[in-house]
Amino acid sequence: MFAAASKALFYALSRSTALKRMASTYGMASDDSFARRFIAGETAEEAIAVAHALHARGLLLTLDFLGESVRTPDEAAAATAAYRRLMDVLVAAGIERNVSIKLTQLGIDVDRATCVDNLRRILDPAERNGFFVRIDMENSRYTQATLEVFETLWHLGYRQIGMALQAYLHRTEQDVRRMNELGARVRLVKGAYKEPPAAAFQKKSEVDEAFARLTRLLLDEGNYPAIATHDERMIDIARAHATERGIANDRFEFQMLYGIRRDLQEALVAAGYRLRIYVPFGTQWFPYFMRRLGERPANIGFVIRGIMGEKARQ
Ligand SMILES: Cc1cc2nc3c(=O)[nH]c(=O)nc-3n(C[C@H](O)[C@H](O)[C@H](O)COP(=O)(O)OP(=O)(O)OC[C@H]3O[C@@H](n4cnc5c(N)ncnc54)[C@H](O)[C@@H]3O)c2cc1C
């Protein structure tokens, strides 16, 4: 219950323009500003520096050029062009070719056809250059449309794409089964948005139970699933199940967000597991950042300390 209330509070705060203005002033101002704990930087160069450092620690990565909820065809076209430029920069930088994308960034709110066209303009060069493109899952208003766009692309023959699915939604077992049937790659997450009881489990215990069940289903029947969580209990369940079923470590991967549980990241790599870090960057970091606060309200402490520190320096 507390988790749902905290998500609701931070969701409400994420819509405050005053807070956004204050966070934007202080959050990324210098190398040790508070938002940098979760955001790799505002430019591709900063993200690439982080990516090289992660590779050096034996980690895989996916880059997210932050942005969401665009309302006009021009904004969606600009985000698409930015992703295409980013892929060129990543190829030149020699880092792993893996990106994560949100469909509201590519115009799914403008219209479906615009979004599909934009995604194809990213997937064509992506496939030529050996990129994997993961579609993030947003709030439940978009679940059905996102999966339909995914299947449209899949049926057009694109194979270097995968979906994120959220364990907290009641519908997700059916979606996991569908993705397994297609042979499509799934990233399983708990789910980061505030959702109504009709759409999603509200209690942490229920979400965890669903996450564990879907983890087993994906390990048994999925195509190279990604188990994306910082929850040690969920990670132990995945590890135990893989061992019990004789599923080799290279048939699945774990994923975590940049800036969270570095200790656990190192332990998993040392134990011989594949671990991919989700690295967000860009100027549109506020909604992503607020979701990270909503997951763990204790994070608000370091934000307040950060703002006080920045003010004191002025
Ligand atoms: C690679 C990746 C991609 C994701 N993509 C999506 C997506 O497409 N759509 C979507 O809805 N959600 C996405 N998420 C977010 C996800 O839905 C959860 O909100 C988030 O991972 C927190 O849940 P948890 O599994 O870590 O478990 P929790 O039970 O929330 O947390 C377990 C433990 O992890 C640590 N932890 C978790 N969150 C934080 C935090 N913010 N700060 C500090 N410590 C923390 C704490 O130690 C906590 O006790 C993604 C997560 C990952 C790792």
Side-chain angles (χ1 to χ4, degrees), residues 197-236:
F201 298 114
Q202 305 292 305
K203 288 191 196 144
K204 178 173 162 54
S205 59
E206 290 174 328
V207 178
D208 287 355
E209 193 279 319
F211 192 94
R213 183 166 37 82
L214 297 173
T215 292
R216 294 189 190 99
L217 183 59
L218 281 164
L219 288 171
D220 288 340
E221 297 174 14
N223 174 18
Y224 193 72
I227 310 304
T229 181
H230 319 89
D231 186 336
E232 279 184 80
R233 234 172 44 85
M234 298 300 118
I235 291 170
D236 288 346

Side-chain angles (χ1 to χ4, degrees), residues 83-131:
Y83 257 103
R84 287 165 59 98
R85 279 196 304 276
L86 173 66
M87 289 192 291
D88 289 340
V89 173
L90 297 184
V91 168
I95 62 165
E96 214 191 338
R97 300 177 187 190
N98 192 311
V99 292
S100 291
I101 288 182
K102 288 184 175 50
L103 294 191
T104 64
Q105 190 177 16
L106 301 187
I108 202 165
D109 281 324
V110 177
D111 71 76
R112 187 81 64 91
T114 303
C115 181
V116 169
D117 283 351
N118 285 337
L119 192 50
R120 292 188 74 174
R121 288 176 55 222
I122 293 171
L123 288 174
D124 286 330
E127 297 222 329
R128 273 198 305 279
N129 288 296
F131 275 84

Side-chain angles (χ1 to χ4, degrees), residues 7 37-38 62 100-102 134-139 164-166 168 187-193 204 208 211 227-232 234 254-261 264 276-278 288 291-296 299 302:
K7 274 184 184 165
R37 167 162 174 202
F38 299 121
T62 183
S100 291
I101 288 182
K102 288 184 175 50
R134 176 80 63 181
I135 301 179
D136 288 344
M137 188 57 87
E138 301 176 69
N139 72 55
L165 294 178
Q166 298 150 324
Y168 65 10
R187 171 207 291 153
L188 183 67
V189 302
K190 287 191 186 178
Y193 298 82
K204 178 173 162 54
D208 287 355
F211 192 94
I227 310 304
T229 181
H230 319 89
D231 186 336
E232 279 184 80
M234 298 300 118
F254 290 106
Q255 295 191 356
M256 293 190 197
L257 300 175
Y258 177 68
I260 301 182
R261 291 302 307 262
L264 194 52
R276 185 176 306 280
I277 304 298
Y278 183 106
Y288 175 92
R291 285 195 290 278
R292 303 294 77 82
L293 295 190
E295 283 155 359
R296 193 162 177 268
N299 286 340
F302 84 83

Side-chain angles (χ1 to χ4, degrees), residues 24-297:
S24 304
T25 309
Y26 298 114
M28 299 285 284
S30 58
D31 282 352
D32 58 353
S33 296
F34 60 83
R36 286 190 188 259
R37 167 162 174 202
F38 299 121
I39 318 292
E42 293 199 323
T43 65
E45 289 64 34
E46 286 173 307
I48 285 166
V50 165
H52 281 303
L54 293 173
H55 280 328
R57 289 170 48 214
L59 297 159
L60 306 167
L61 58 92
T62 183
L63 279 187
D64 170 25
F65 171 58
L66 289 162
E68 54 195 90
S69 309
V70 309
R71 299 271 165 223
T72 68
D74 285 353
E75 284 174 310
T80 305
Y83 257 103
R84 287 165 59 98
R85 279 196 304 276
L86 173 66
M87 289 192 291
D88 289 340
V89 173
L90 297 184
V91 168
I95 62 165
E96 214 191 338
R97 300 177 187 190
N98 192 311
V99 292
S100 291
I101 288 182
K102 288 184 175 50
L103 294 191
T104 64
Q105 190 177 16
L106 301 187
I108 202 165
D109 281 324
V110 177
D111 71 76
R112 187 81 64 91
T114 303
C115 181
V116 169
D117 283 351
N118 285 337
L119 192 50
R120 292 188 74 174
R121 288 176 55 222
I122 293 171
L123 288 174
D124 286 330
E127 297 222 329
R128 273 198 305 279
N129 288 296
F131 275 84
F132 184 78
V133 177
R134 176 80 63 181
I135 301 179
D136 288 344
M137 188 57 87
E138 301 176 69
N139 72 55
S140 62
R141 279 198 300 128
Y142 297 104
T143 311
Q144 186 60 29
T146 303
L147 289 167
E148 284 171 12
V149 169
F150 176 83
E151 284 216 24
T152 300
L153 275 301
W154 187 266
H155 292 308
L156 285 169
Y158 294 97
R159 288 294 178 270
Q160 291 300 104
I161 50 173
M163 274 306 317
L165 294 178
Q166 298 150 324
Y168 65 10
L169 295 185
H170 301 307
R171 60 174 286 162
T172 296
E173 178 168 343
Q174 162 202 323
D175 296 331
V176 165
R177 290 189 187 279
R178 176 67 185 150
M179 290 297 129
N180 288 352
E181 200 175 284
L182 292 174
R185 283 167 55 175
V186 171
R187 171 207 291 153
L188 183 67
V189 302
K190 287 191 186 178
Y193 298 82
K194 170 188 152 314
E195 295 291 355
F201 298 114
Q202 305 292 305
K203 288 191 196 144
K204 178 173 162 54
S205 59
E206 290 174 328
V207 178
D208 287 355
E209 193 279 319
F211 192 94
R213 183 166 37 82
L214 297 173
T215 292
R216 294 189 190 99
L217 183 59
L218 281 164
L219 288 171
D220 288 340
E221 297 174 14
N223 174 18
Y224 193 72
I227 310 304
T229 181
H230 319 89
D231 186 336
E232 279 184 80
R233 234 172 44 85
M234 298 300 118
I235 291 170
D236 288 346
I237 286 170
R239 290 176 64 166
H241 190 74
T243 306
E244 189 188 306
R245 296 293 168 103
I247 300 166
N249 289 3
D250 62 358
R251 293 209 8 239
F252 65 98
E253 67 182 33
F254 290 106
Q255 295 191 356
M256 293 190 197
L257 300 175
Y258 177 68
I260 301 182
R261 291 302 307 262
R262 200 174 145 144
D263 54 336
L264 194 52
Q265 295 172 15
E266 262 149 32
L268 276 178
V269 173
Y273 289 96
R274 292 185 176 184
L275 175 58
R276 185 176 306 280
I277 304 298
Y278 183 106
V279 181
F281 77 97
T283 54
Q284 309 289 309
W285 50 264
F286 187 66
Y288 175 92
F289 178 72
M290 292 304 280
R291 285 195 290 278
R292 303 294 77 82
L293 295 190
E295 283 155 359
R296 193 162 177 268

